[in-house]
C-alpha cells in the first residue's frame, strides 16, 4: 500500500465511525506562551480538553504536522542517527471530546491495524499504565481488561509513568496511555529473543507506533493532578512509522515517503545510500530536515536569530553541515529538494505547493550565508592554528571554540573534526562550561513562573466587545500571579472586555479597570489560546467587585490608523508590484506600522512614491469600513479575502473591507470607521528583513504631519547655515565640488611628503648578519599610508626587517614587516614582535608572520617602542 493510500485509509476508517475530518493546524504555534511548535496532534484541541472551549465535533480524526526539536519533546539529536525519529512528522489521530472512552479507542485501534492494514498480530505488543505512587495513582485496570479480551496476556506490558502517562508539558491536560509497539525483526531474530523484552528499549526494529491517551487529569503548576471536567481520547500514531510497518521496511527512510528524496540526493552527490554509516546518517539528516524546514517556512516561520526562528535556523544548518562534511556539498543544495516537497505533500498540505518558490528562495539564501560562515570559520581556524603553533600549544581552548560557535555560528563538532585533522585537540569540557554559563545568563534574564488560575466568579465564557465599545461593565472571572526577577504581576480574565488582545500584529490595548473604590491600570492585553488575558501590576483589593473596563482611547485610535493603513498599503503594493505580494509579518502600534512581505527586489523610489500616492488617495476617498463578523470561511474566501499562511482560522471569520474592489482581508484587528481619519500616510523606510522578504515602515496622522514639519525645519536650518542662498541645491553641489578638489590637492601633498620620508628612511637601514634592519619613528596621515610605506621599504631593500613606530592623527601605531626568507632563517615573527612592542603603547594587535600592525593608547610610548626595538634587534 502506498503512503498516500495509508493516510487516506486512516481518515476514511474513522469517518466510517462518525469522526469529522479536520485539517492539520499550523506547525508553528501562535498565542501560546508555553509552546513554539506543534509537538502532538492534541495541541490544537488543548482548550477543548481544558474546558476553555466547547469542542465543535465530539469525534475528530486528522493528520497533524508535528515538530519535536525543542522543549519537552526534543528528538533532534536522534534524527538521522536512528531510523524512526524525525524532526517533522505527521501524527495521525482520532479524538473523542467527552464522547467515547477507552473501550472504543482500544478496539478500533486493533481493528484498523490488524484487519484494515493487515499487520501481523504476532508482531504487536501493547502497554498499560502500571500506576504511580508519587501521583497517588493505581494501575489502569480498565485498559488492561479491555486489552485482555483482544490479545494474549503475555503481550501486555505494564509501563511506568515515564512511558505510559502522557503529558504535553509541565502543566496541562494529561492521563494514562496505552501504547502499541511493533516488532519488525526477522523471524530468525524473533525466534531467538522475545520482542516483549525489547519494547521501550530503544531497539531500532521494535518501535512504538501508536499511543492511545486517555485524558483524565490536568497537571497544575504545584505538580498535583486535578480531574478534568470530562474524559477524552487523544491518540497519536506516527504516520512514517506506520507506513514502514505496512510496507514491511526496516527503516522509515526505506518507504516511499523518503525514497524520492534519497534518490535525488544520491544523484546530486554521486554517493550511494546504504554503503557507509556516516554518509547514510548525512543522507537521513538532510531528507528529514528539508521537510521540517519547508513546512515551518510555509507556516510563516522564517529562520532568524531568536526563538522559533533560531530553532529553524539550527535545523537548517545541521542539514547543511552534514551535507558539507559528508556529502561534499560546498555550494547550496538543500533548496533543490523543495520541488519534491511540493510534489509529494502538496495534495494534503497545499501550503507547501503554493509557496514552493518562496520556500526555495528562503532556504537558498540561508544556505548560502551559512556556507560563507563556514568558510570564514575555516579561515579563523587557520589563524587559531597558526597562533597555537607560534606558542607551541596544541589545545584549542573551550573559550575559543565557544566564540567560534557563538559569534560565527561555527558548530563544535566541526571545530573538533578540523582540530583532529590538524593534530590538535579541543577542550570540550571548557566549551561545555562556556555554554552552560551562557544558558544560565539567558535563563536568569527570562525566567518567570506562572501560578494557577484562581477562580473569582463563575466562568460563563468571555465576550469581546472592543469592536464596538471602548468601555464595558465587567467582572473578573479568574486571575493568576506571574513572578519574575522584577517581582509579581497579575493576569486577569474578564467576563466581558473591550480590550483588544495582541494578535495579527496589532498590539494589545492598555487602559484601566475602575470599581467604586479603586482604579487599576491594565498595562497590556494578550491572547492565550482563546482566552483574553489582561496584565495588571496590582491585583484589585476586591476582585469580586463590579468593574468598568476602559480602554486608553487615544492610543487605540492611533493604533487603528496604522492598522487600517496597513491594509491599504498591502492592497497598494499588490497594485504596484504584482499579486505575488504575501504578508510575512506585521506590527501595528500607536507610533508606526511595519509590514513585511514577500518580494525579491528593493523597491525603487518611483515604486514607493506610487504606493504612497495610492494609499493617500484612498484615505482622501474617505472609504467607510465594512466589517462582517462570523462569515463562514468558504464564503470569505469566495469574496477573495486575503488570508495569511500559517494562521489558524476557525470555521467563521471576520472580513474587513475598505472598498470591495481594493482591500478585502481576513482580520481580527480594530480599524478606523472612515479612512479619512488616517489623515496622511508616509513610508519612512524600506529594507530587506530576511531573504526574499522586504520590510516597510510607515507612519500616519499626527506622526506623519510631524515628519513633514521636521523635514521643513531641517531645510530651513540648512538654508540658514549656508547663509540663505538663492538656490540651495546648487549651493551644496558647489561646496561638494570644492571639497573634492581640495581633497585631491591634499593627497598630492601627502604623497610628496611620504616619498620624502621614504627616501630619508632608506638611508637609515643598518646592515648586519644578512639582515637590513630599520627601526624608526615616523609621522603619517593615515593607517593605509603606514602599510604602504612598510611594503615599499621592504620591496626596495633586500633582506629587510622594518619596525615603524608611527604617530597617526595623534594616535600611536606600530608596523612590522619582514622579508619572507628571514622568517625561517632568523626565526622572526612579525605578529609576535608587534604584540611585544605594543605593550609600550598600551595597545595590541597582530597579523601574519611577515606583516603585522598594532594600535595603542599611549602616544608618549612611541619613543620607548623605538628604544626597546633597538635594544632587541640592533
Ligand atoms: P518514542 O518513545 O518512540 O520517542 P514517544 O513516546 O515520544 O515515542 P508519543 O509522544 O506517544 O511518542 O507520540 C505518539 C506517536 O508519534 C508515537 O507512537 C510515534 O509513532 C510517533 N512519534 C513520536 N515521536 C516521533 C518522532 N520524533 N518521529 C516520528 N514519529 C514519532
Ligand atoms: Mg519520544
Amino acid at each position: 500500500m502506498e503512503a498516500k493510500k495509508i493516510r487516506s485509509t486512516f481518515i476514511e476508517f474513522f469517518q466510517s465511525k462518525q469522526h469529522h475530518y479536520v485539517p492539520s493546524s499550523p506547525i508553528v504555534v501562535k498565542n501560546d506562551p508555553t509552546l513554539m511548535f506543534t509537538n502532538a496532534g492534541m495541541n490544537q484541541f488543548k482548550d477543548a480538553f481544558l474546558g476553555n472551549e466547547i469542542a465543535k465535533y465530539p469525534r475528530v480524526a486528522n493528520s497533524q504536522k508535528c515538530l519535536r526539536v525543542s522543549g519537552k519533546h526534543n528528538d533532534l539529536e536522534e534524527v538521522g542517527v536512528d531510523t524512526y525519529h524525525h524532526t517533522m512528522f505527521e501524527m495521525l489521530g482520532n479524538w473523542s471530546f467527552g464522547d467515547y472512552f477507552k473501550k472504543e479507542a482500544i478496539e478500533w485501534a486493533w481493528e484498523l491495524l490488524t484487519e484494515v492494514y493487515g499487520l501481523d498480530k504476532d508482531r504487536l505488543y501493547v502497554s498499560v499504565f502500571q500506576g504511580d505512587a508519587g501521583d497517588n495513582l493505581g494501575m489502569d485496570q480498565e485498559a488492561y481488561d479491555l486489552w485482555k479480551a483482544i490479545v494474549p496476556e503475555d503481550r501486555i506490558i505494564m509501563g511506568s509513568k515515564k512511558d505510559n502517562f502522557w503529558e504535553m508539558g509541565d502543566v496541562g491536560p494529561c492521563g494514562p496511555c496505552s501504547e502499541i509497539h511493533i516488532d519488525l525483526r526477522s523471524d530468525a531474530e524473533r525466534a531467538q529473543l522475545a520482542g516483549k523484552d525489547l519494547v521501550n528499549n530503544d531497539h531500532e526494529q521494535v518501535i512504538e507506533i501508536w499511543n492511545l491517551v486517555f485524558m483524565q487529569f490536568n497537571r497544575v503548576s504545584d505538580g498535583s493532578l486535578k480531574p478534568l471536567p470530562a474524559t477524552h481520547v487523544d491518540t497519536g500514531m506516527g504516520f512514517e512509522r506506520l507506513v514502514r510497518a505496512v510496507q514491511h521496511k526496516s527503516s522509515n527512510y526505506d518507504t516511499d515517503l523518503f525514497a524520492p528524496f534519497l534518490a535525488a540526493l544520491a544523484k546530486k552527490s554521486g554517493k550511494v545510500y546504504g554503503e557507509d554509516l556516516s554518509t547514510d546518517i548525512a543522507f537521513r539528516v538532510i531528507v528529514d530536515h528539508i521537510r521540517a524546514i519547508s513546512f515551518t517556512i510555509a507556516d510563516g516561520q522564517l529562520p532568524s536569530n531568536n526563538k522559533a526562528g533560531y530553532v529553524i535556523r539550527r535545523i537548517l544548518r545541521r542539514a547543511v553541515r552534514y551535507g558539507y562534511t559528508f556529502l561534499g556539498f560546498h555550494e547550496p543544495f538543500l533548496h533543490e529538494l523543495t520541488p519534491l516537497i511540493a510534489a509529494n505533500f502538496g495534495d494534503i498540505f497545499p501550503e507547501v505547493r503554493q509557496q514552493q518558490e518562496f520556500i526555495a528562495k528562503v532556504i537558498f539564501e540561508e544556505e548560502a550565508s551559512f556556507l560563507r560562515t563556514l568558510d570564514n570559520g575555516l579561515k579563523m581556524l587557520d589563524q587559531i592554528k597558526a597562533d597555537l603553533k607560534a606558542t607551541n600549544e596544541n589545545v584549542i581552548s573551550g573559550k575559543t571554540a565557544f566564540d567560534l560557535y557563538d559569534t560565527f555560528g561555527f558548530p563544535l563538532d566541526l571545530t573538533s573534526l578540523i582540530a583532529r585533522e590538524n593534530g590538535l585537540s579541543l577542550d570540550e569540557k571548557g566549551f561545555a562550561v562556556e555554554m552552560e554559563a551562557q544558558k544560565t545568563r539567558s535563563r536568569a534574564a527570562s525566567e518567570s513562573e506562572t501560578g494557577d488560575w484562581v477562580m473569582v466568579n463563575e466562568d460563563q465564557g468571555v465576550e469581546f466587545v472592543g469592536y464596538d465599545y471602548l468601555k464595558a461593565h465587567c467582572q473578573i472571572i479568574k486571575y493568576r500571579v506571574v513572578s519574575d526577577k522584577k517581582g509579581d504581576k497579575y493576569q486577569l480574565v474578564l467576563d466581558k472586555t473591550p480590550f483588544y488582545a495582541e494578535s495579527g500584529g496589532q498590539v494589545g490595548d492598555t487602559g484601566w479597570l475602575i470599581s467604586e473604590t479603586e482604579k487599576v491600570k491594565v498595562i497590556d492585553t494578550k491572547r492565550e489560546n482563546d482566552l483574553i488575558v489582561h496584565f495588571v501590576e496590582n491585583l484589585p483589593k476586591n476582585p469580586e467587585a463590579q468593574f468598568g473596563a476602559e480602554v486608553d482611547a487615544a492610543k487605540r485610535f492611533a493604533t487603528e490608523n496604522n492598522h487600517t493603513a496597513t491594509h491599504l498599503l498591502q492592497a497598494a503594493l499588490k497594485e504596484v508590484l504584482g499579486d505575488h505580494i504575501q504578508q510575512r509579518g506585521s506590527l501595528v502600534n500607536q507610533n508606526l506600522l511595519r509590514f513585511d512581505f514577500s518580494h525579491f527586489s528593493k523597491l525603487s523610489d518611483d515604486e514607493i512614491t506610487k504606493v504612497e500616492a495610492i494609499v493617500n488617495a484612498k484615505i482622501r476617498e474617505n472609504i467607510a469600513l465594512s466589517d462582517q463578523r462570523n462569515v463562514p470561511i468558504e464564503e470569505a474566501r469566495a469574496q477573495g479575502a486575503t488570508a495569511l499562511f500559517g494562521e489558524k482560522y476557525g470555521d467563521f471569520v471576520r472580513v474587513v473591507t475598505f472598498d470591495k474592489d481594493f482591500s478585502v482581508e481576513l482580520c481580527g484587528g480594530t480599524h478606523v470607521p472612515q479612512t479619512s481619519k488616517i489623515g496622511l500616510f508616509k513610508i519612512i523606510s524600506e529594507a530587506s528583513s530576511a531573504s526574499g522578504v522586504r520590510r516597510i515602515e510607515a507612519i500616519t496622522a499626527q506622526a506623519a504631519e510631524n515628519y513633514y514639519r521636521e523635514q521643513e525645519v531641517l531645510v530651513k536650518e540648512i538654508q540658514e547655515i549656508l547663509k540663505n542662498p538663492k538656490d540651495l541645491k546648487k549651493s551644496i553641489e558647489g561646496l561638494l565640488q570644492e571639497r573634492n578638489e581640495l581633497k585631491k590637492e591634499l593627497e598630492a601633498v601627502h604623497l610628496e611628503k611620504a616619498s620624502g620620508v621614504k627616501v630619508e628612511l632608506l638611508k637609515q637601514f643598518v646592515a648586519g648578519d644578512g639582515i637590513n634592519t630599520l627601526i624608526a619613528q615616523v609621522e603619517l596621515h593615515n593607517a593605509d599610508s603606514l602599510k604602504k610605506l612598510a611594503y615599499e621599504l621592504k620591496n626596495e631593500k633586500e633582506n629587510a626587517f622594518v619596525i615603524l613606530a608611527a604617530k597617526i592623527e595623534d594616535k600611536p601605531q606600530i608596523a612590522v614587516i619582514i622579508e619572507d626568507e628571514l622568517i625561517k632563517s632568523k626565526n622572526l615573527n612579525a605578529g609576535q614582535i608587534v604584540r611585544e612592542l605594543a605593550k609600550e603603547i598600551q595597545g595590541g594587535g597582530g597579523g601574519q608572520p611577515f606583516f603585522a600592525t598594532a594600535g595603542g593608547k599611549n602616544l608618549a610610548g612611541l619613543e620607548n617602542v623605538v628604544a626597546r626595538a633597538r635594544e632587541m634587534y640592533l
Side-chain angles (χ1 to χ4, degrees), residues 143-172:
Y144 191 90
D145 293 340
L146 287 163
W147 279 120
K148 203 170 70 178
I150 306 179
V151 298
E153 253 178 294
D154 65 353
R155 300 198 150 257
I156 307 179
I157 293 155
M158 300 310 293
S160 67
K161 176 172 161 186
K162 178 177 142 285
D163 289 318
N164 282 79
F165 196 86
W166 203 90
E167 309 205 34
M168 183 188 63
D170 293 335
V171 294

Side-chain angles (χ1 to χ4, degrees), residues 50-53 455-462 476-478 493-495 531:
L50 283 171
N52 289 342
E53 180 190 279
M455 298 305 294
V456 179
N457 282 299
E458 201 187 330
D459 185 354
Q460 292 173 333
V462 177
I476 298 174
I477 297 179
K478 54 185 175 180
V493 175
L494 308 176
D495 62 344
L531 290 180

Side-chain angles (χ1 to χ4, degrees), residues 104-392:
E104 292 84 345
I106 287 175
E107 288 172 359
W108 288 337
W110 192 255
E111 180 189 340
L112 177 63
L113 290 182
T114 59
E115 285 166 35
V116 180
Y117 290 129
L119 295 184
D120 183 354
K121 289 181 187 160
D122 278 353
R123 291 178 179 270
L124 296 174
Y125 295 87
V126 301
S127 66
V128 169
F129 178 52
Q130 70 188 20
D132 185 78
D135 277 329
N136 205 10
L137 294 174
M139 81 169 268
D140 190 351
Q141 189 67 45
E142 189 185 354
Y144 191 90
D145 293 340
L146 287 163
W147 279 120
K148 203 170 70 178
I150 306 179
V151 298
E153 253 178 294
D154 65 353
R155 300 198 150 257
I156 307 179
I157 293 155
M158 300 310 293
S160 67
K161 176 172 161 186
K162 178 177 142 285
D163 289 318
N164 282 79
F165 196 86
W166 203 90
E167 309 205 34
M168 183 188 63
D170 293 335
V171 294
C174 54
C177 60
S178 257
E179 298 165 345
I180 303 174
H181 295 255
I182 188 159
D183 181 354
L184 293 164
R185 292 173 304 154
S186 68
D187 290 340
E189 281 173 291
R190 288 200 296 143
Q192 271 180 6
L193 181 65
K196 190 174 177 181
D197 299 333
L198 297 175
V199 166
N200 277 332
N201 259 326
D202 295 332
H203 192 287
E204 290 252 327
Q205 302 300 333
V206 186
I207 57 175
E208 176 189 329
I209 51 172
W210 203 346
N211 195 353
L212 317 178
V213 181
F214 312 119
M215 294 288 190
Q216 292 176 267
F217 305 106
N218 181 25
R219 170 95 55 199
V220 296
S221 66
D222 68 7
S224 66
L225 296 173
K226 299 265 169 339
L228 288 176
T231 57
H232 317 283
V233 171
D234 149 15
T235 86
M237 172 151 62
F239 174 56
E240 297 74 10
R241 294 188 190 178
L242 172 69
V243 173
R244 160 182 177 178
V246 175
Q247 297 181 352
H248 303 292
K249 303 288 187 194
S250 54
S251 153
N252 288 11
Y253 296 92
D254 294 342
T255 64
D256 61 342
L257 283 170
F258 291 96
F261 292 86
L262 289 173
L265 211 50
K267 188 156 167 231
K268 174 132 185 87
S269 65
K271 300 213 183 325
V272 181
Y273 178 65
E275 286 197 336
D276 168 81
L277 184 61
S278 33
T279 17
D280 285 358
I281 291 177
F283 267 99
R284 293 197 287 261
V285 162
I286 294 164
V287 303
D288 173 276
H289 289 11
I290 186 65
R291 299 171 13 128
I293 302 160
S294 304
F295 278 91
T296 46
I297 294 175
D299 274 348
Q301 182 58 62
L302 297 179
S304 74
N305 257 338
N306 54 38
K307 298 195 185 148
Y310 190 54
V311 176
I312 301 312
R313 176 165 283 169
R314 276 196 355 242
I315 297 177
L316 187 141
R317 289 181 170 185
R318 189 169 186 258
V320 172
R321 182 157 48 85
Y322 272 92
Y324 185 96
T325 312
F326 298 104
L327 302 183
F329 292 135
H330 291 195
E331 297 293 326
F333 64 97
L334 270 179
H335 65 107
E336 291 177 18
L337 297 172
T338 52
L340 284 175
I341 294 277
N344 283 278
F345 298 100
D347 289 345
I348 168 116
F349 305 115
E351 62 276 12
V352 290
R353 181 180 291 149
Q354 286 156 355
Q355 299 179 81
Q356 187 202 319
E357 199 191 334
F358 176 73
I359 296 169
K361 179 90 184 173
V362 171
I363 295 179
F364 172 80
E365 302 262 338
E366 275 286 313
E367 285 190 89
S369 108
F370 182 53
L371 285 165
R372 280 194 296 275
T373 305
L374 278 179
D375 268 349
N376 288 340
L378 288 173
K379 287 197 193 108
M380 284 278 305
L381 263 167
D382 280 343
Q383 177 65 40
I384 292 166
K385 279 186 315 201
D387 285 354
L388 284 175
K389 207 160 162 206
T391 51
N392 261 333

